[in-house]
Amino acid sequence: MKPFETNQIHSNILKMIGNTPMVELTHLDTGCCRLFVKLELNNPTGSIKDRIALKMIEVAEANGELKPGDTIIEATAGNTGLGLALVAGQKGYPLIIVLPDKMSMEKEYNLRAMGAEVIRTRSDVNKGHPEHYQDLAARLAKEKGAFFVNQFANPANVQAHFETTGPEIWEQTEGTVDAFVCGVGSSGTLSGVGSYLKSKKPDVQMVLADPEGSILAPLHNTGHAPEPGRWLVEGIGEDFIPSICDMDLIDVAYPISDKDAMLTARELLLKEGIMAGSSTGTLLKAALNYCLQQTEPKNVVSLVCDTGNRYLSKLYNDNWMKEKGFL
Ligand SMILES: Cc1ncc(COP(=O)(O)O)c(C=O)c1O
């Protein structure tokens, strides 16, 4: 059957990944700057990770690493898993997701509903420990002869952002972007968007929004990586430096507390009508800090990384917020 593809109708859900809209935030204090967010929650599974899920699978298929009938395994905070569940589901691959136990139940329910097998593992161990989600996923992939996607070391992750997210930001701002604020989980966003934007305009400032407890902002700011701590924000912050992470792209880095992240995400919903996840709270708090420190007008772009619907039991639940001491 001939694919039906017009401006109005997509021939398949995978064609709806990317090309997300951008909106200006007008009810928050941004000083002399203008702040824009790219709505990655508009991707089919509700996060920025749909982009990399599609690219990593397409590249693995093209280079023969992934063949029909193979099982796919990934270690993820949840969103990459949901993106992979979409792509694997459409293409017919079985999927196993290794998910740290701090991640929300909504993500697990969503993954299972999409047909993925979910294995929960410990959040309180660092990389190198056999129960760390990445170590466990790598071991399982070897045992089962499965394809380990490994977003933390997969160049197709960076490629997805270099080829799509970066150019979209450049075009949507008509080349007027002065600064881009993002977090680092796998670092695909930082490395891909950062290298693209700096190739177009070398003085674009890359601003890292990093949860307190992560080693990345202290490493940038002091030159030394501290002992990793723990944080509640999901999807960003690291206890190691992913091999695809280009730390040299970072110009400014802000450590952001869980409390500031959660409260800023709630403020985004009440003032701007955008229901985002906890990592977006971290990004937005850092973006606002950056804006208020500028003495000349700048166009600052950040992301709404994922939908807040998967955090209803957490940051949008007053009891949870009180339990954690955030309200
Ligand atoms: C939920 C989530 N996961 C991961 C990331 C980080 O992306 P990356 O893995 O490209 O570093 C973000 C935000 O930037 C996010 O919100």
Short mmCIF file of all heavy atoms in Angstrom, two decimals, residues 71-128:
data_model
loop_
_atom_site.label_atom_id
_atom_site.label_comp_id
_atom_site.label_asym_id
_atom_site.label_seq_id
_atom_site.Cartn_x
_atom_site.Cartn_y
_atom_site.Cartn_z
N THR A 71 16.60 -9.34 20.47
CA THR A 71 16.07 -8.62 21.63
C THR A 71 16.92 -7.38 21.87
O THR A 71 18.14 -7.41 21.72
CB THR A 71 16.09 -9.53 22.87
OG1 THR A 71 15.19 -10.62 22.64
CG2 THR A 71 15.68 -8.79 24.13
N ILE A 72 16.25 -6.30 22.26
CA ILE A 72 16.93 -5.04 22.58
C ILE A 72 16.94 -4.87 24.09
O ILE A 72 15.92 -5.12 24.75
CB ILE A 72 16.19 -3.85 21.92
CG1 ILE A 72 16.21 -3.98 20.39
CG2 ILE A 72 16.76 -2.52 22.37
CD1 ILE A 72 15.35 -2.96 19.66
N ILE A 73 18.10 -4.44 24.65
CA ILE A 73 18.19 -4.15 26.09
C ILE A 73 18.72 -2.73 26.27
O ILE A 73 19.64 -2.31 25.55
CB ILE A 73 19.15 -5.14 26.81
CG1 ILE A 73 18.56 -6.56 26.75
CG2 ILE A 73 19.40 -4.73 28.26
CD1 ILE A 73 19.25 -7.56 27.65
N GLU A 74 18.15 -2.01 27.25
CA GLU A 74 18.70 -0.68 27.54
C GLU A 74 18.60 -0.36 29.03
O GLU A 74 17.66 -0.79 29.72
CB GLU A 74 17.99 0.41 26.71
CG GLU A 74 18.48 1.83 26.90
CD GLU A 74 19.97 2.07 26.58
OE1 GLU A 74 20.81 1.19 26.86
OE2 GLU A 74 20.29 3.16 26.09
N ALA A 75 19.58 0.40 29.49
CA ALA A 75 19.59 0.96 30.84
C ALA A 75 19.09 2.39 30.72
O ALA A 75 19.64 3.16 29.93
CB ALA A 75 21.01 0.95 31.39
N THR A 76 18.08 2.76 31.49
CA THR A 76 17.47 4.07 31.27
C THR A 76 16.76 4.57 32.53
O THR A 76 16.30 3.78 33.36
CB THR A 76 16.46 4.01 30.08
OG1 THR A 76 15.52 5.08 30.15
CG2 THR A 76 15.67 2.72 30.07
N ALA A 77 16.68 5.91 32.63
CA ALA A 77 15.88 6.53 33.68
C ALA A 77 14.40 6.42 33.34
O ALA A 77 13.54 6.83 34.10
CB ALA A 77 16.27 7.99 33.82
N GLY A 78 14.08 5.87 32.17
CA GLY A 78 12.69 5.62 31.81
C GLY A 78 12.30 6.17 30.46
O GLY A 78 11.65 5.49 29.66
N ASN A 79 12.72 7.41 30.18
CA ASN A 79 12.26 8.02 28.94
C ASN A 79 12.86 7.39 27.70
O ASN A 79 12.15 7.19 26.70
CB ASN A 79 12.54 9.53 28.96
CG ASN A 79 11.57 10.25 29.86
OD1 ASN A 79 10.45 9.79 30.07
ND2 ASN A 79 11.98 11.39 30.39
N THR A 80 14.15 7.04 27.75
CA THR A 80 14.74 6.35 26.60
C THR A 80 14.04 5.01 26.42
O THR A 80 13.80 4.56 25.29
CB THR A 80 16.26 6.15 26.79
OG1 THR A 80 16.85 7.43 26.97
CG2 THR A 80 16.89 5.46 25.59
N GLY A 81 13.68 4.38 27.54
CA GLY A 81 12.96 3.11 27.49
C GLY A 81 11.62 3.26 26.79
O GLY A 81 11.23 2.43 25.97
N LEU A 82 10.92 4.35 27.09
CA LEU A 82 9.61 4.57 26.46
C LEU A 82 9.76 4.83 24.95
O LEU A 82 9.00 4.31 24.14
CB LEU A 82 8.88 5.74 27.13
CG LEU A 82 8.39 5.41 28.55
CD1 LEU A 82 8.06 6.67 29.33
CD2 LEU A 82 7.16 4.51 28.47
N GLY A 83 10.78 5.61 24.60
CA GLY A 83 11.04 5.84 23.18
C GLY A 83 11.37 4.53 22.48
O GLY A 83 10.87 4.25 21.38
N LEU A 84 12.22 3.72 23.12
CA LEU A 84 12.59 2.43 22.53
C LEU A 84 11.37 1.51 22.44
O LEU A 84 11.24 0.74 21.49
CB LEU A 84 13.69 1.76 23.35
CG LEU A 84 15.09 2.37 23.21
CD1 LEU A 84 16.03 1.79 24.25
CD2 LEU A 84 15.65 2.14 21.80
N ALA A 85 10.50 1.56 23.45
CA ALA A 85 9.31 0.71 23.43
C ALA A 85 8.44 1.06 22.22
O ALA A 85 7.88 0.18 21.57
CB ALA A 85 8.51 0.87 24.73
N LEU A 86 8.37 2.36 21.90
CA LEU A 86 7.61 2.78 20.73
C LEU A 86 8.25 2.24 19.45
O LEU A 86 7.59 1.62 18.62
CB LEU A 86 7.56 4.31 20.68
CG LEU A 86 6.87 4.91 19.45
CD1 LEU A 86 5.36 4.70 19.54
CD2 LEU A 86 7.19 6.38 19.30
N VAL A 87 9.57 2.48 19.31
CA VAL A 87 10.25 2.10 18.07
C VAL A 87 10.31 0.57 17.94
O VAL A 87 10.01 0.01 16.88
CB VAL A 87 11.67 2.72 18.01
CG1 VAL A 87 12.37 2.32 16.72
CG2 VAL A 87 11.59 4.24 18.13
N ALA A 88 10.67 -0.11 19.04
CA ALA A 88 10.76 -1.58 19.02
C ALA A 88 9.38 -2.17 18.73
O ALA A 88 9.26 -3.15 17.97
CB ALA A 88 11.29 -2.09 20.36
N GLY A 89 8.35 -1.58 19.30
CA GLY A 89 6.98 -2.06 19.08
C GLY A 89 6.59 -1.97 17.62
O GLY A 89 6.03 -2.90 17.04
N GLN A 90 6.92 -0.84 17.00
CA GLN A 90 6.56 -0.64 15.59
C GLN A 90 7.37 -1.56 14.67
O GLN A 90 6.91 -1.95 13.61
CB GLN A 90 6.80 0.82 15.18
CG GLN A 90 5.82 1.79 15.79
CD GLN A 90 4.39 1.49 15.39
OE1 GLN A 90 4.04 1.54 14.23
NE2 GLN A 90 3.57 1.13 16.36
N LYS A 91 8.59 -1.88 15.10
CA LYS A 91 9.47 -2.67 14.24
C LYS A 91 9.51 -4.15 14.63
O LYS A 91 10.17 -4.95 13.95
CB LYS A 91 10.89 -2.08 14.29
CG LYS A 91 11.01 -0.74 13.57
CD LYS A 91 12.39 -0.13 13.81
CE LYS A 91 12.61 1.11 12.96
NZ LYS A 91 12.99 0.81 11.57
N GLY A 92 8.86 -4.50 15.76
CA GLY A 92 8.73 -5.92 16.11
C GLY A 92 9.88 -6.54 16.89
O GLY A 92 10.08 -7.75 16.84
N TYR A 93 10.66 -5.73 17.62
CA TYR A 93 11.73 -6.29 18.46
C TYR A 93 11.26 -6.43 19.90
O TYR A 93 10.69 -5.47 20.46
CB TYR A 93 12.95 -5.36 18.48
CG TYR A 93 13.58 -5.11 17.14
CD1 TYR A 93 13.40 -3.90 16.48
CD2 TYR A 93 14.40 -6.08 16.54
CE1 TYR A 93 13.99 -3.65 15.25
CE2 TYR A 93 15.00 -5.84 15.31
CZ TYR A 93 14.79 -4.62 14.67
OH TYR A 93 15.37 -4.36 13.46
N PRO A 94 11.53 -7.58 20.56
CA PRO A 94 11.30 -7.66 22.02
C PRO A 94 12.25 -6.69 22.75
O PRO A 94 13.37 -6.45 22.28
CB PRO A 94 11.64 -9.12 22.37
CG PRO A 94 11.72 -9.85 21.06
CD PRO A 94 12.05 -8.84 20.01
N LEU A 95 11.79 -6.14 23.89
CA LEU A 95 12.57 -5.10 24.59
C LEU A 95 12.63 -5.38 26.09
O LEU A 95 11.60 -5.66 26.71
CB LEU A 95 11.91 -3.73 24.35
CG LEU A 95 12.50 -2.54 25.08
CD1 LEU A 95 13.91 -2.21 24.57
CD2 LEU A 95 11.59 -1.31 24.94
N ILE A 96 13.85 -5.30 26.65
CA ILE A 96 14.02 -5.40 28.11
C ILE A 96 14.62 -4.09 28.60
O ILE A 96 15.62 -3.61 28.05
CB ILE A 96 14.98 -6.56 28.48
CG1 ILE A 96 14.44 -7.89 27.95
CG2 ILE A 96 15.20 -6.62 29.99
CD1 ILE A 96 15.40 -9.07 28.13
N ILE A 97 13.98 -3.51 29.63
CA ILE A 97 14.42 -2.22 30.17
C ILE A 97 14.91 -2.41 31.60
O ILE A 97 14.20 -2.99 32.44
CB ILE A 97 13.24 -1.22 30.16
CG1 ILE A 97 12.86 -0.86 28.71
CG2 ILE A 97 13.57 0.03 30.98
CD1 ILE A 97 13.97 -0.23 27.90
N VAL A 98 16.13 -1.92 31.88
CA VAL A 98 16.65 -1.95 33.25
C VAL A 98 16.52 -0.54 33.82
O VAL A 98 17.08 0.42 33.27
CB VAL A 98 18.12 -2.44 33.29
CG1 VAL A 98 18.61 -2.51 34.73
CG2 VAL A 98 18.25 -3.80 32.61
N LEU A 99 15.74 -0.46 34.91
CA LEU A 99 15.29 0.84 35.44
C LEU A 99 15.68 0.96 36.92
O LEU A 99 15.30 0.10 37.72
CB LEU A 99 13.76 0.88 35.30
CG LEU A 99 12.98 2.15 35.50
CD1 LEU A 99 13.27 3.14 34.39
CD2 LEU A 99 11.48 1.85 35.53
N PRO A 100 16.43 2.00 37.30
CA PRO A 100 16.75 2.19 38.72
C PRO A 100 15.47 2.37 39.55
O PRO A 100 14.49 2.93 39.07
CB PRO A 100 17.59 3.47 38.75
CG PRO A 100 18.09 3.64 37.35
CD PRO A 100 17.03 3.08 36.47
N ASP A 101 15.51 1.93 40.82
CA ASP A 101 14.27 1.90 41.60
C ASP A 101 13.77 3.28 42.03
O ASP A 101 12.65 3.40 42.50
CB ASP A 101 14.38 0.94 42.80
CG ASP A 101 15.60 1.19 43.66
OD1 ASP A 101 16.22 2.26 43.51
OD2 ASP A 101 15.93 0.30 44.47
N LYS A 102 14.57 4.35 41.85
CA LYS A 102 14.04 5.67 42.24
C LYS A 102 13.08 6.25 41.18
O LYS A 102 12.37 7.21 41.44
CB LYS A 102 15.19 6.66 42.50
CG LYS A 102 15.76 7.32 41.26
CD LYS A 102 16.70 8.48 41.64
CE LYS A 102 17.00 9.35 40.44
NZ LYS A 102 18.00 10.38 40.69
N MET A 103 13.06 5.66 40.00
CA MET A 103 12.25 6.24 38.93
C MET A 103 10.76 5.96 39.18
O MET A 103 10.39 4.94 39.74
CB MET A 103 12.67 5.69 37.56
CG MET A 103 14.15 5.85 37.26
SD MET A 103 14.78 7.53 37.51
CE MET A 103 16.55 7.23 37.46
N SER A 104 9.91 6.86 38.67
CA SER A 104 8.49 6.84 39.05
C SER A 104 7.78 5.57 38.59
O SER A 104 8.14 4.97 37.57
CB SER A 104 7.77 8.06 38.47
OG SER A 104 7.56 7.89 37.08
N MET A 105 6.75 5.17 39.35
CA MET A 105 5.94 4.00 38.98
C MET A 105 5.21 4.24 37.66
O MET A 105 4.98 3.32 36.89
CB MET A 105 4.90 3.71 40.08
CG MET A 105 5.43 2.96 41.28
SD MET A 105 6.41 1.49 40.88
CE MET A 105 5.15 0.43 40.15
N GLU A 106 4.85 5.52 37.40
CA GLU A 106 4.15 5.83 36.16
C GLU A 106 4.98 5.36 34.96
O GLU A 106 4.44 4.84 33.97
CB GLU A 106 3.91 7.34 36.03
CG GLU A 106 2.84 7.89 36.98
CD GLU A 106 3.43 8.39 38.30
OE1 GLU A 106 4.44 7.83 38.78
OE2 GLU A 106 2.85 9.35 38.86
N LYS A 107 6.31 5.55 35.05
CA LYS A 107 7.16 5.12 33.93
C LYS A 107 7.12 3.60 33.76
O LYS A 107 7.05 3.10 32.65
CB LYS A 107 8.61 5.58 34.17
CG LYS A 107 8.83 7.06 33.95
CD LYS A 107 10.27 7.41 34.27
CE LYS A 107 10.55 8.88 34.05
NZ LYS A 107 11.81 9.29 34.69
N GLU A 108 7.18 2.89 34.91
CA GLU A 108 7.15 1.42 34.82
C GLU A 108 5.82 0.94 34.23
O GLU A 108 5.80 0.08 33.34
CB GLU A 108 7.38 0.81 36.21
CG GLU A 108 7.37 -0.72 36.14
CD GLU A 108 7.69 -1.39 37.48
OE1 GLU A 108 8.35 -0.77 38.34
OE2 GLU A 108 7.24 -2.54 37.64
N TYR A 109 4.70 1.51 34.72
CA TYR A 109 3.39 1.10 34.19
C TYR A 109 3.31 1.37 32.68
O TYR A 109 2.80 0.57 31.91
CB TYR A 109 2.25 1.86 34.88
CG TYR A 109 2.09 1.58 36.36
CD1 TYR A 109 1.72 2.60 37.24
CD2 TYR A 109 2.30 0.30 36.88
CE1 TYR A 109 1.56 2.35 38.61
CE2 TYR A 109 2.15 0.05 38.25
CZ TYR A 109 1.79 1.08 39.09
OH TYR A 109 1.65 0.84 40.43
N ASN A 110 3.81 2.55 32.30
CA ASN A 110 3.77 2.94 30.89
C ASN A 110 4.61 1.98 30.03
O ASN A 110 4.18 1.53 28.97
CB ASN A 110 4.31 4.37 30.78
CG ASN A 110 3.91 5.07 29.50
OD1 ASN A 110 3.59 4.46 28.50
ND2 ASN A 110 3.94 6.38 29.53
N LEU A 111 5.80 1.63 30.53
CA LEU A 111 6.68 0.71 29.78
C LEU A 111 6.02 -0.66 29.63
O LEU A 111 6.03 -1.25 28.55
CB LEU A 111 8.01 0.55 30.53
CG LEU A 111 8.99 1.71 30.37
CD1 LEU A 111 10.07 1.66 31.45
CD2 LEU A 111 9.63 1.66 28.98
N ARG A 112 5.45 -1.16 30.73
CA ARG A 112 4.82 -2.49 30.68
C ARG A 112 3.62 -2.46 29.73
O ARG A 112 3.39 -3.39 28.97
CB ARG A 112 4.38 -2.94 32.07
CG ARG A 112 5.55 -3.29 32.99
CD ARG A 112 5.06 -3.98 34.27
NE ARG A 112 6.12 -4.05 35.26
CZ ARG A 112 7.12 -4.94 35.23
NH1 ARG A 112 7.20 -5.82 34.25
NH2 ARG A 112 8.04 -4.94 36.18
N ALA A 113 2.87 -1.36 29.78
CA ALA A 113 1.69 -1.25 28.89
C ALA A 113 2.11 -1.28 27.42
O ALA A 113 1.35 -1.74 26.57
CB ALA A 113 0.93 0.05 29.20
N MET A 114 3.32 -0.82 27.16
CA MET A 114 3.81 -0.80 25.76
C MET A 114 4.48 -2.12 25.38
O MET A 114 5.02 -2.23 24.27
CB MET A 114 4.77 0.37 25.55
CG MET A 114 4.07 1.71 25.68
SD MET A 114 5.20 3.09 25.51
CE MET A 114 5.30 3.21 23.72
N GLY A 115 4.48 -3.08 26.29
CA GLY A 115 4.98 -4.42 25.94
C GLY A 115 6.41 -4.69 26.34
O GLY A 115 6.95 -5.75 26.02
N ALA A 116 7.05 -3.75 27.06
CA ALA A 116 8.45 -3.98 27.47
C ALA A 116 8.50 -4.82 28.74
O ALA A 116 7.59 -4.75 29.58
CB ALA A 116 9.15 -2.64 27.71
N GLU A 117 9.57 -5.60 28.88
CA GLU A 117 9.85 -6.26 30.16
C GLU A 117 10.66 -5.26 30.98
O GLU A 117 11.60 -4.64 30.45
CB GLU A 117 10.66 -7.53 29.92
CG GLU A 117 10.96 -8.32 31.18
CD GLU A 117 11.87 -9.52 30.92
OE1 GLU A 117 11.88 -10.03 29.78
OE2 GLU A 117 12.57 -9.91 31.85
N VAL A 118 10.29 -5.06 32.27
CA VAL A 118 10.99 -4.08 33.10
C VAL A 118 11.69 -4.78 34.25
O VAL A 118 11.06 -5.55 34.99
CB VAL A 118 10.01 -3.02 33.66
CG1 VAL A 118 10.74 -2.02 34.54
CG2 VAL A 118 9.28 -2.31 32.52
N ILE A 119 12.98 -4.51 34.41
CA ILE A 119 13.74 -5.05 35.54
C ILE A 119 14.17 -3.86 36.38
O ILE A 119 14.86 -2.96 35.89
CB ILE A 119 14.98 -5.83 35.04
CG1 ILE A 119 14.52 -7.04 34.21
CG2 ILE A 119 15.86 -6.27 36.22
CD1 ILE A 119 15.64 -7.76 33.50
N ARG A 120 13.73 -3.84 37.64
CA ARG A 120 14.12 -2.75 38.55
C ARG A 120 15.44 -3.11 39.24
O ARG A 120 15.65 -4.26 39.62
CB ARG A 120 13.04 -2.56 39.61
CG ARG A 120 11.79 -1.89 39.09
CD ARG A 120 11.96 -0.38 39.07
NE ARG A 120 10.67 0.29 38.91
CZ ARG A 120 10.48 1.59 39.08
NH1 ARG A 120 11.48 2.38 39.40
NH2 ARG A 120 9.29 2.12 38.92
N THR A 121 16.29 -2.12 39.43
CA THR A 121 17.54 -2.37 40.15
C THR A 121 17.84 -1.18 41.07
O THR A 121 17.10 -0.21 41.10
CB THR A 121 18.68 -2.67 39.17
OG1 THR A 121 19.81 -3.14 39.90
CG2 THR A 121 19.07 -1.45 38.36
N ARG A 122 18.96 -1.27 41.81
CA ARG A 122 19.24 -0.28 42.86
C ARG A 122 19.65 1.09 42.30
O ARG A 122 20.37 1.18 41.32
CB ARG A 122 20.35 -0.81 43.75
CG ARG A 122 19.91 -1.98 44.59
CD ARG A 122 21.07 -2.64 45.29
NE ARG A 122 21.73 -1.75 46.24
CZ ARG A 122 22.75 -2.13 47.02
NH1 ARG A 122 23.22 -3.37 46.95
NH2 ARG A 122 23.30 -1.28 47.85
N SER A 123 19.17 2.13 43.00
CA SER A 123 19.57 3.51 42.63
C SER A 123 20.72 3.98 43.52
O SER A 123 21.31 5.02 43.25
CB SER A 123 18.41 4.49 42.87
OG SER A 123 17.29 4.14 42.13
N ASP A 124 21.00 3.23 44.58
CA ASP A 124 21.95 3.72 45.60
C ASP A 124 23.36 3.16 45.40
O ASP A 124 24.14 3.12 46.34
CB ASP A 124 21.43 3.38 47.00
CG ASP A 124 21.33 1.89 47.23
OD1 ASP A 124 21.38 1.12 46.25
OD2 ASP A 124 21.22 1.47 48.41
N VAL A 125 23.67 2.72 44.18
CA VAL A 125 25.02 2.23 43.90
C VAL A 125 25.60 2.98 42.70
O VAL A 125 24.85 3.42 41.83
CB VAL A 125 25.03 0.70 43.61
CG1 VAL A 125 24.76 -0.08 44.88
CG2 VAL A 125 24.02 0.33 42.53
N ASN A 126 26.92 3.14 42.70
CA ASN A 126 27.55 3.90 41.61
C ASN A 126 27.95 2.97 40.47
O ASN A 126 28.00 1.74 40.64
CB ASN A 126 28.77 4.65 42.14
CG ASN A 126 28.37 5.74 43.11
OD1 ASN A 126 27.27 6.29 43.02
ND2 ASN A 126 29.24 6.03 44.07
N LYS A 127 28.24 3.59 39.34
CA LYS A 127 28.65 2.82 38.16
C LYS A 127 29.87 1.97 38.53
O LYS A 127 30.77 2.42 39.23
CB LYS A 127 28.97 3.77 37.01
CG LYS A 127 29.15 3.03 35.70
CD LYS A 127 29.01 3.97 34.53
CE LYS A 127 29.66 3.41 33.28
NZ LYS A 127 29.16 2.11 32.87
N GLY A 128 29.87 0.72 38.06
CA GLY A 128 30.94 -0.21 38.43
C GLY A 128 30.42 -1.29 39.36
O GLY A 128 30.97 -2.39 39.43
#
